[in-house]
Every structure is written in C-alpha cells, then in structure tokens.
Amino acid sequence: MTLNLTSDQALWLPFTLALYFAASELHRRAGKSALLNPTMLTIAGVCVALHAGDVPHARYFETVEILHYLLGTAVVALAIPLYRNLQRLDGNMLAMCAALLCGSITSIVVGLIVAHVLGASLSTMLSLAAKSATAAVSMEIARLIGGVPPVTACLTICTGITGAVIGPYLLSACGVRTSMARGLALGTAGHGIATARAFAENEETGCWASLAMGLNAILTAMFAPLIVAAYFSPK
C-alpha cells in the first residue's frame, strides 16, 4: 500500500509539521539567519507541494485547521513572557507610545502613497492600508473600508515575512541595537511573523515585539479608516 500526499488528506498535517521542523532545524544550524526564516520556508514548501499535486487550498486547510486554532492560543501565550518582563516598561511608556503611533500611521500612509504612485487600483490600495496589522485584524479592516480581505491576507503575510527577513539586517545597518527599539520596530511593521523572529534574538526583544504587535492592531483599526477617508476625500 502506497501513501499519496495529494490524495491522503490525513498526511497534510504531519507533512506541514515535518516541513516546519526541518525549516526550524535549518534555521538553527545556520545561526538563526533571518534569510532562512522557518515560516517563510514552510509556506514556500507547502505552496510548492499544493501546486505540484494540484490540491486546492480549501482542501488543504480543512486538514490543518487545528493549526489555525492553535495560532490563536499561541498569540494569547505571548502574555506569559510579556508579564515576566513587565517591569521593563517603567520609564519607557511615553517613548513606546510615540514610537507605536508614528510606526502605525507611517505604515498606513506610506503604503497608500507608494501604491498610488505605482498606479495600483483602488481595491488594491484599500486592501494594502492595513497590511501591518495581524492577519485577522487586517482582513476585517479591509472589509470595513472596501478592500478585498483575501488580497489583504496575502499582503499581510508578505509584509510579515519581509519584516522578519529584512528587518533585523536593516535595523542593524541603521545602528538600532537596543532590544526595545528592535522589538517595537519588528512588531509594529511585521506583526506575528516578525515577532517570532524577534524572539529568536532574545526574550526581551520578543516581548517588545509582541506588545507592539497587539497595540498596533488596535491603532491600525482606529486610524486606517480615518486615513483612507481623508486620503480619498474630494480635494
């Protein structure tokens, strides 16, 4: 009896887990290089397998839906290391709030301007506005402002991967060394995927990133509709 990955749906979950384990091991052996981000490698591997087997994403998702559920619990679990490092907020609250506010608004505005300059369609621009919020939030924001949620989901994932892969090198090149600054930047710009990368540096950086990820989702939900309305208002 032979097992066929494309027809035996029960194999997709262990295949995905094995792929992520292999990607994580490669990432570890390469000195935790950001260029070998495990999430990016796993997504690429799954995409190749689905395309090669001509397997619809809906069928694949049905078999790995438990991972979608566990993603929510993993986000909640970020509160544990954050609680352990809560005392580090002392004296940094004002700087953190200013950085988050600037980062959130800049992400929305720059995304709209770049898309406009490049001649993107209106639906693409509206789908792009909330790209730096975590996927579930960004999709709801896109639905609210007239974007296309599936497009927003893809753009959000691409943003997170880009932040996780390029972000650490860019921050180092700019001389950003402190855990607070690096964590806030990664969490604000690259949500959960970049936050996971921040934890690979150290727990403190990861805590700042997880805090930024959560607060940026709230700020994006607040400001994206207002900025979009102002940007597209009759001049």
Side-chain angles (χ1 to χ4, degrees), residues 35-86:
L35 295 175
L36 294 175
N37 183 271
T39 303
M40 177 183 68
L41 296 178
T42 304
I43 291 174
V46 169
C47 287
V48 169
L50 293 178
H51 180 73
D54 195 24
V55 177
H57 177 266
R59 187 195 304 172
Y60 166 78
F61 185 77
E62 288 177 2
T63 66
V64 298
E65 193 170 4
I66 182 64
L67 297 180
H68 183 70
Y69 170 77
L70 292 175
L71 178 62
T73 61
V75 172
V76 174
L78 290 174
I80 297 174
L82 183 59
Y83 177 78
R84 287 202 297 260
N85 292 271
L86 200 59

Tab-separated table of all heavy atoms in Angstrom, residues 35-86:
chain	number	residue	atom	x	y	z
A	35	LEU	N	17.501	35.217	6.885
A	35	LEU	CA	17.228	34.847	5.495
A	35	LEU	C	16.621	33.455	5.378
A	35	LEU	O	16.056	33.105	4.341
A	35	LEU	CB	18.516	34.920	4.667
A	35	LEU	CG	19.130	36.318	4.510
A	35	LEU	CD1	20.455	36.237	3.778
A	35	LEU	CD2	18.162	37.239	3.776
A	36	LEU	N	16.772	32.660	6.435
A	36	LEU	CA	16.226	31.301	6.436
A	36	LEU	C	15.075	31.224	7.447
A	36	LEU	O	15.011	30.305	8.260
A	36	LEU	CB	17.316	30.282	6.773
A	36	LEU	CG	18.437	30.153	5.737
A	36	LEU	CD1	19.520	29.220	6.235
A	36	LEU	CD2	17.891	29.654	4.398
A	37	ASN	N	14.186	32.167	7.368
A	37	ASN	CA	13.049	32.216	8.285
A	37	ASN	C	12.203	30.951	8.146
A	37	ASN	O	11.771	30.615	7.042
A	37	ASN	CB	12.197	33.445	7.972
A	37	ASN	CG	11.045	33.601	8.928
A	37	ASN	OD1	9.972	33.068	8.704
A	37	ASN	ND2	11.266	34.342	10.000
A	38	PRO	N	11.949	30.220	9.238
A	38	PRO	CA	11.207	28.953	9.148
A	38	PRO	C	9.800	29.109	8.589
A	38	PRO	O	9.329	28.262	7.827
A	38	PRO	CB	11.164	28.465	10.603
A	38	PRO	CG	12.306	29.133	11.265
A	38	PRO	CD	12.438	30.473	10.601
A	39	THR	N	9.118	30.186	8.957
A	39	THR	CA	7.765	30.406	8.435
A	39	THR	C	7.790	30.590	6.928
A	39	THR	O	6.964	30.018	6.208
A	39	THR	CB	7.135	31.644	9.107
A	39	THR	OG1	7.138	31.470	10.531
A	39	THR	CG2	5.707	31.843	8.633
A	40	MET	N	8.735	31.390	6.449
A	40	MET	CA	8.848	31.622	5.008
A	40	MET	C	9.142	30.315	4.267
A	40	MET	O	8.524	30.014	3.243
A	40	MET	CB	9.955	32.635	4.725
A	40	MET	CG	10.204	32.885	3.245
A	40	MET	SD	11.593	34.021	2.957
A	40	MET	CE	12.989	33.008	3.535
A	41	LEU	N	10.083	29.525	4.783
A	41	LEU	CA	10.447	28.276	4.126
A	41	LEU	C	9.290	27.292	4.132
A	41	LEU	O	9.056	26.580	3.148
A	41	LEU	CB	11.665	27.664	4.823
A	41	LEU	CG	12.971	28.474	4.746
A	41	LEU	CD1	14.077	27.766	5.519
A	41	LEU	CD2	13.385	28.690	3.303
A	42	THR	N	8.546	27.252	5.237
A	42	THR	CA	7.407	26.335	5.327
A	42	THR	C	6.304	26.733	4.358
A	42	THR	O	5.729	25.877	3.665
A	42	THR	CB	6.853	26.298	6.760
A	42	THR	OG1	7.892	25.945	7.667
A	42	THR	CG2	5.724	25.284	6.879
A	43	ILE	N	5.990	28.017	4.291
A	43	ILE	CA	4.975	28.488	3.355
A	43	ILE	C	5.374	28.158	1.923
A	43	ILE	O	4.557	27.672	1.124
A	43	ILE	CB	4.755	30.004	3.514
A	43	ILE	CG1	4.083	30.307	4.851
A	43	ILE	CG2	3.903	30.559	2.368
A	43	ILE	CD1	3.954	31.783	5.155
A	44	ALA	N	6.642	28.393	1.605
A	44	ALA	CA	7.121	28.100	0.256
A	44	ALA	C	7.010	26.608	-0.051
A	44	ALA	O	6.577	26.211	-1.140
A	44	ALA	CB	8.564	28.568	0.101
A	45	GLY	N	7.384	25.773	0.917
A	45	GLY	CA	7.317	24.331	0.715
A	45	GLY	C	5.903	23.824	0.525
A	45	GLY	O	5.633	22.983	-0.345
A	46	VAL	N	4.985	24.332	1.333
A	46	VAL	CA	3.583	23.936	1.209
A	46	VAL	C	3.012	24.394	-0.130
A	46	VAL	O	2.283	23.644	-0.802
A	46	VAL	CB	2.754	24.507	2.378
A	46	VAL	CG1	1.261	24.322	2.123
A	46	VAL	CG2	3.142	23.832	3.687
A	47	CYS	N	3.348	25.609	-0.541
A	47	CYS	CA	2.855	26.126	-1.836
A	47	CYS	C	3.339	25.250	-2.985
A	47	CYS	O	2.568	24.936	-3.904
A	47	CYS	CB	3.311	27.563	-2.035
A	47	CYS	SG	2.457	28.765	-1.002
A	48	VAL	N	4.598	24.872	-2.935
A	48	VAL	CA	5.150	24.009	-3.991
A	48	VAL	C	4.433	22.663	-4.006
A	48	VAL	O	4.071	22.145	-5.074
A	48	VAL	CB	6.665	23.809	-3.777
A	48	VAL	CG1	7.198	22.708	-4.702
A	48	VAL	CG2	7.409	25.110	-4.043
A	49	ALA	N	4.195	22.087	-2.826
A	49	ALA	CA	3.530	20.785	-2.743
A	49	ALA	C	2.082	20.871	-3.237
A	49	ALA	O	1.612	19.989	-3.963
A	49	ALA	CB	3.559	20.274	-1.296
A	50	LEU	N	1.367	21.925	-2.861
A	50	LEU	CA	-0.020	22.085	-3.308
A	50	LEU	C	-0.092	22.273	-4.824
A	50	LEU	O	-0.956	21.702	-5.494
A	50	LEU	CB	-0.670	23.286	-2.617
A	50	LEU	CG	-0.904	23.167	-1.107
A	50	LEU	CD1	-1.501	24.464	-0.555
A	50	LEU	CD2	-1.815	21.996	-0.779
A	51	HIS	N	0.846	23.062	-5.350
A	51	HIS	CA	0.853	23.297	-6.793
A	51	HIS	C	1.216	22.024	-7.554
A	51	HIS	O	0.587	21.690	-8.563
A	51	HIS	CB	1.841	24.412	-7.133
A	51	HIS	CG	1.915	24.725	-8.591
A	51	HIS	ND1	0.917	25.398	-9.258
A	51	HIS	CD2	2.874	24.433	-9.539
A	51	HIS	CE1	1.247	25.525	-10.533
A	51	HIS	NE2	2.423	24.957	-10.719
A	52	ALA	N	2.219	21.313	-7.043
A	52	ALA	CA	2.656	20.081	-7.724
A	52	ALA	C	1.563	19.019	-7.712
A	52	ALA	O	1.407	18.262	-8.672
A	52	ALA	CB	3.928	19.550	-7.057
A	53	GLY	N	0.807	18.954	-6.615
A	53	GLY	CA	-0.253	17.953	-6.513
A	53	GLY	C	-1.602	18.438	-6.979
A	53	GLY	O	-2.587	17.692	-6.908
A	54	ASP	N	-1.666	19.706	-7.443
A	54	ASP	CA	-2.925	20.305	-7.899
A	54	ASP	C	-4.004	20.168	-6.819
A	54	ASP	O	-5.139	19.755	-7.092
A	54	ASP	CB	-3.382	19.656	-9.215
A	54	ASP	CG	-4.464	20.483	-9.915
A	54	ASP	OD1	-4.511	21.703	-9.660
A	54	ASP	OD2	-5.263	19.908	-10.680
A	55	VAL	N	-3.626	20.495	-5.586
A	55	VAL	CA	-4.534	20.381	-4.438
A	55	VAL	C	-5.091	21.760	-4.105
A	55	VAL	O	-4.323	22.701	-3.868
A	55	VAL	CB	-3.800	19.807	-3.213
A	55	VAL	CG1	-4.726	19.753	-2.005
A	55	VAL	CG2	-3.254	18.422	-3.529
A	56	PRO	N	-6.407	21.931	-4.091
A	56	PRO	CA	-6.990	23.226	-3.732
A	56	PRO	C	-6.640	23.606	-2.296
A	56	PRO	O	-6.571	22.748	-1.414
A	56	PRO	CB	-8.502	22.995	-3.881
A	56	PRO	CG	-8.629	21.774	-4.736
A	56	PRO	CD	-7.438	20.936	-4.435
A	57	HIS	N	-6.450	24.897	-2.078
A	57	HIS	CA	-6.107	25.355	-0.738
A	57	HIS	C	-7.209	25.018	0.267
A	57	HIS	O	-6.927	24.698	1.428
A	57	HIS	CB	-5.868	26.868	-0.741
A	57	HIS	CG	-5.584	27.428	0.618
A	57	HIS	ND1	-6.569	27.968	1.421
A	57	HIS	CD2	-4.435	27.510	1.333
A	57	HIS	CE1	-6.033	28.351	2.571
A	57	HIS	NE2	-4.749	28.106	2.546
A	58	ALA	N	-8.473	25.077	-0.174
A	58	ALA	CA	-9.590	24.787	0.731
A	58	ALA	C	-9.488	23.365	1.285
A	58	ALA	O	-9.743	23.125	2.473
A	58	ALA	CB	-10.914	24.979	0.008
A	59	ARG	N	-9.109	22.421	0.434
A	59	ARG	CA	-8.976	21.035	0.898
A	59	ARG	C	-7.812	20.911	1.875
A	59	ARG	O	-7.892	20.215	2.889
A	59	ARG	CB	-8.751	20.101	-0.290
A	59	ARG	CG	-8.774	18.616	0.118
A	59	ARG	CD	-8.209	17.720	-0.964
A	59	ARG	NE	-8.916	17.911	-2.239
A	59	ARG	CZ	-8.502	17.348	-3.378
A	59	ARG	NH1	-7.409	16.601	-3.382
A	59	ARG	NH2	-9.173	17.548	-4.491
A	60	TYR	N	-6.713	21.597	1.569
A	60	TYR	CA	-5.559	21.562	2.467
A	60	TYR	C	-5.914	22.162	3.820
A	60	TYR	O	-5.589	21.608	4.867
A	60	TYR	CB	-4.394	22.327	1.835
A	60	TYR	CG	-3.275	22.645	2.799
A	60	TYR	CD1	-2.349	21.673	3.176
A	60	TYR	CD2	-3.147	23.925	3.351
A	60	TYR	CE1	-1.336	21.956	4.067
A	60	TYR	CE2	-2.136	24.222	4.238
A	60	TYR	CZ	-1.234	23.237	4.601
A	60	TYR	OH	-0.228	23.519	5.491
A	61	PHE	N	-6.629	23.298	3.794
A	61	PHE	CA	-6.945	23.993	5.039
A	61	PHE	C	-7.826	23.140	5.940
A	61	PHE	O	-7.699	23.192	7.176
A	61	PHE	CB	-7.636	25.324	4.733
A	61	PHE	CG	-7.885	26.166	5.954
A	61	PHE	CD1	-6.853	26.881	6.539
A	61	PHE	CD2	-9.150	26.226	6.527
A	61	PHE	CE1	-7.084	27.651	7.671
A	61	PHE	CE2	-9.381	26.993	7.662
A	61	PHE	CZ	-8.342	27.705	8.227
A	62	GLU	N	-8.717	22.370	5.359
A	62	GLU	CA	-9.591	21.510	6.160
A	62	GLU	C	-8.788	20.537	7.005
A	62	GLU	O	-9.173	20.214	8.131
A	62	GLU	CB	-10.536	20.721	5.247
A	62	GLU	CG	-11.639	21.567	4.610
A	62	GLU	CD	-12.498	20.749	3.668
A	62	GLU	OE1	-12.244	19.524	3.556
A	62	GLU	OE2	-13.403	21.307	3.039
A	63	THR	N	-7.688	20.057	6.464
A	63	THR	CA	-6.904	19.030	7.169
A	63	THR	C	-5.947	19.615	8.205
A	63	THR	O	-5.472	18.898	9.080
A	63	THR	CB	-6.098	18.189	6.166
A	63	THR	OG1	-5.112	19.018	5.532
A	63	THR	CG2	-7.000	17.601	5.095
A	64	VAL	N	-5.639	20.906	8.096
A	64	VAL	CA	-4.699	21.528	9.048
A	64	VAL	C	-5.374	22.631	9.861
A	64	VAL	O	-4.705	23.483	10.437
A	64	VAL	CB	-3.472	22.108	8.304
A	64	VAL	CG1	-2.710	21.005	7.588
A	64	VAL	CG2	-3.889	23.195	7.322
A	65	GLU	N	-6.706	22.594	9.930
A	65	GLU	CA	-7.442	23.659	10.613
A	65	GLU	C	-7.062	23.771	12.083
A	65	GLU	O	-7.158	24.854	12.677
A	65	GLU	CB	-8.950	23.418	10.473
A	65	GLU	CG	-9.795	24.612	10.866
A	65	GLU	CD	-11.256	24.435	10.494
A	65	GLU	OE1	-11.621	23.354	9.992
A	65	GLU	OE2	-12.028	25.386	10.700
A	66	ILE	N	-6.609	22.679	12.684
A	66	ILE	CA	-6.202	22.707	14.078
A	66	ILE	C	-5.055	23.699	14.290
A	66	ILE	O	-4.955	24.342	15.338
A	66	ILE	CB	-5.788	21.288	14.563
A	66	ILE	CG1	-5.417	21.306	16.044
A	66	ILE	CG2	-4.621	20.767	13.736
A	66	ILE	CD1	-6.547	21.670	16.958
A	67	LEU	N	-4.198	23.856	13.271
A	67	LEU	CA	-3.092	24.811	13.380
A	67	LEU	C	-3.623	26.244	13.435
A	67	LEU	O	-3.048	27.091	14.115
A	67	LEU	CB	-2.143	24.646	12.190
A	67	LEU	CG	-1.433	23.294	12.068
A	67	LEU	CD1	-0.534	23.277	10.842
A	67	LEU	CD2	-0.621	23.000	13.331
A	68	HIS	N	-4.694	26.490	12.715
A	68	HIS	CA	-5.320	27.813	12.741
A	68	HIS	C	-5.860	28.115	14.144
A	68	HIS	O	-5.724	29.237	14.641
A	68	HIS	CB	-6.451	27.863	11.712
A	68	HIS	CG	-7.114	29.204	11.599
A	68	HIS	ND1	-6.482	30.292	11.051
A	68	HIS	CD2	-8.341	29.636	11.975
A	68	HIS	CE1	-7.296	31.341	11.089
A	68	HIS	NE2	-8.422	30.966	11.647
A	69	TYR	N	-6.439	27.101	14.781
A	69	TYR	CA	-6.933	27.263	16.145
A	69	TYR	C	-5.774	27.495	17.115
A	69	TYR	O	-5.836	28.378	17.982
A	69	TYR	CB	-7.717	26.022	16.558
A	69	TYR	CG	-8.058	25.985	18.035
A	69	TYR	CD1	-9.097	26.759	18.552
A	69	TYR	CD2	-7.322	25.190	18.911
A	69	TYR	CE1	-9.394	26.741	19.900
A	69	TYR	CE2	-7.620	25.162	20.267
A	69	TYR	CZ	-8.653	25.939	20.751
A	69	TYR	OH	-8.935	25.914	22.096
A	70	LEU	N	-4.701	26.715	16.964
A	70	LEU	CA	-3.561	26.838	17.865
A	70	LEU	C	-2.845	28.164	17.699
A	70	LEU	O	-2.181	28.627	18.637
A	70	LEU	CB	-2.583	25.675	17.626
A	70	LEU	CG	-3.100	24.296	18.036
A	70	LEU	CD1	-2.102	23.221	17.635
A	70	LEU	CD2	-3.365	24.244	19.539
A	71	LEU	N	-2.973	28.778	16.516
A	71	LEU	CA	-2.352	30.083	16.301
A	71	LEU	C	-2.922	31.105	17.281
A	71	LEU	O	-2.192	31.926	17.837
A	71	LEU	CB	-2.584	30.539	14.863
A	71	LEU	CG	-2.031	31.924	14.490
A	71	LEU	CD1	-0.517	31.947	14.649
A	71	LEU	CD2	-2.417	32.280	13.058
A	72	GLY	N	-4.232	31.042	17.502
A	72	GLY	CA	-4.860	31.956	18.453
A	72	GLY	C	-4.354	31.740	19.861
A	72	GLY	O	-4.075	32.701	20.594
A	73	THR	N	-4.214	30.480	20.267
A	73	THR	CA	-3.707	30.193	21.613
A	73	THR	C	-2.249	30.623	21.747
A	73	THR	O	-1.821	31.045	22.819
A	73	THR	CB	-3.851	28.700	21.943
A	73	THR	OG1	-3.088	27.928	21.005
A	73	THR	CG2	-5.301	28.257	21.859
A	74	ALA	N	-1.493	30.507	20.660
A	74	ALA	CA	-0.083	30.927	20.700
A	74	ALA	C	0.031	32.426	20.911
A	74	ALA	O	0.908	32.903	21.650
A	74	ALA	CB	0.617	30.525	19.400
A	75	VAL	N	-0.856	33.183	20.280
A	75	VAL	CA	-0.851	34.639	20.454
A	75	VAL	C	-1.170	34.993	21.906
A	75	VAL	O	-0.524	35.861	22.510
A	75	VAL	CB	-1.856	35.311	19.497
A	75	VAL	CG1	-1.990	36.793	19.826
A	75	VAL	CG2	-1.420	35.136	18.055
A	76	VAL	N	-2.160	34.308	22.477
A	76	VAL	CA	-2.510	34.548	23.884
A	76	VAL	C	-1.335	34.189	24.791
A	76	VAL	O	-1.059	34.880	25.792
A	76	VAL	CB	-3.766	33.741	24.272
A	76	VAL	CG1	-4.042	33.868	25.768
A	76	VAL	CG2	-4.972	34.212	23.469
A	77	ALA	N	-0.612	33.131	24.440
A	77	ALA	CA	0.516	32.684	25.260
A	77	ALA	C	1.654	33.697	25.291
A	77	ALA	O	2.515	33.631	26.177
A	77	ALA	CB	1.029	31.339	24.745
A	78	LEU	N	1.664	34.632	24.345
A	78	LEU	CA	2.696	35.670	24.366
A	78	LEU	C	2.602	36.524	25.621
A	78	LEU	O	3.561	37.216	25.980
A	78	LEU	CB	2.559	36.570	23.126
A	78	LEU	CG	2.915	35.947	21.773
A	78	LEU	CD1	2.586	36.912	20.651
A	78	LEU	CD2	4.383	35.561	21.733
A	79	ALA	N	1.452	36.482	26.287
A	79	ALA	CA	1.287	37.261	27.511
A	79	ALA	C	2.215	36.772	28.625
A	79	ALA	O	2.552	37.547	29.532
A	79	ALA	CB	-0.162	37.187	27.983
A	80	ILE	N	2.637	35.517	28.575
A	80	ILE	CA	3.471	34.966	29.653
A	80	ILE	C	4.847	35.621	29.692
A	80	ILE	O	5.244	36.177	30.729
A	80	ILE	CB	3.573	33.431	29.520
A	80	ILE	CG1	2.184	32.801	29.668
A	80	ILE	CG2	4.538	32.871	30.563
A	80	ILE	CD1	2.152	31.312	29.418
A	81	PRO	N	5.630	35.582	28.595
A	81	PRO	CA	6.929	36.283	28.656
A	81	PRO	C	6.760	37.792	28.803
A	81	PRO	O	7.617	38.458	29.402
A	81	PRO	CB	7.589	35.927	27.322
A	81	PRO	CG	6.473	35.513	26.422
A	81	PRO	CD	5.463	34.869	27.319
A	82	LEU	N	5.658	38.333	28.280
A	82	LEU	CA	5.420	39.769	28.432
A	82	LEU	C	5.224	40.120	29.907
A	82	LEU	O	5.755	41.129	30.390
A	82	LEU	CB	4.195	40.180	27.611
A	82	LEU	CG	3.843	41.667	27.607
A	82	LEU	CD1	5.000	42.489	27.056
A	82	LEU	CD2	2.580	41.913	26.790
A	83	TYR	N	4.498	39.292	30.631
A	83	TYR	CA	4.280	39.524	32.057
A	83	TYR	C	5.601	39.444	32.828
A	83	TYR	O	5.843	40.238	33.750
A	83	TYR	CB	3.292	38.502	32.601
A	83	TYR	CG	3.049	38.617	34.089
A	83	TYR	CD1	2.218	39.604	34.608
A	83	TYR	CD2	3.669	37.733	34.978
A	83	TYR	CE1	2.010	39.715	35.972
A	83	TYR	CE2	3.464	37.837	36.340
A	83	TYR	CZ	2.632	38.825	36.833
A	83	TYR	OH	2.439	38.943	38.188
A	84	ARG	N	6.452	38.501	32.438
A	84	ARG	CA	7.743	38.351	33.127
A	84	ARG	C	8.626	39.584	32.946
A	84	ARG	O	9.506	39.844	33.773
A	84	ARG	CB	8.475	37.106	32.605
A	84	ARG	CG	7.892	35.795	33.062
A	84	ARG	CD	8.936	34.689	32.976
A	84	ARG	NE	9.363	34.468	31.598
A	84	ARG	CZ	8.907	33.487	30.819
A	84	ARG	NH1	8.008	32.639	31.284
A	84	ARG	NH2	9.347	33.338	29.586
A	85	ASN	N	8.425	40.310	31.861
A	85	ASN	CA	9.270	41.469	31.570
A	85	ASN	C	8.523	42.786	31.715
A	85	ASN	O	8.969	43.818	31.215
A	85	ASN	CB	9.827	41.356	30.147
A	85	ASN	CG	10.823	40.221	29.996
A	85	ASN	OD1	12.019	40.394	30.200
A	85	ASN	ND2	10.330	39.047	29.620
A	86	LEU	N	7.386	42.748	32.417
A	86	LEU	CA	6.535	43.929	32.517
A	86	LEU	C	7.244	45.108	33.184
A	86	LEU	O	6.998	46.273	32.851
A	86	LEU	CB	5.264	43.574	33.302
A	86	LEU	CG	4.057	44.499	33.123
A	86	LEU	CD1	3.635	44.562	31.665
A	86	LEU	CD2	2.890	44.009	33.983
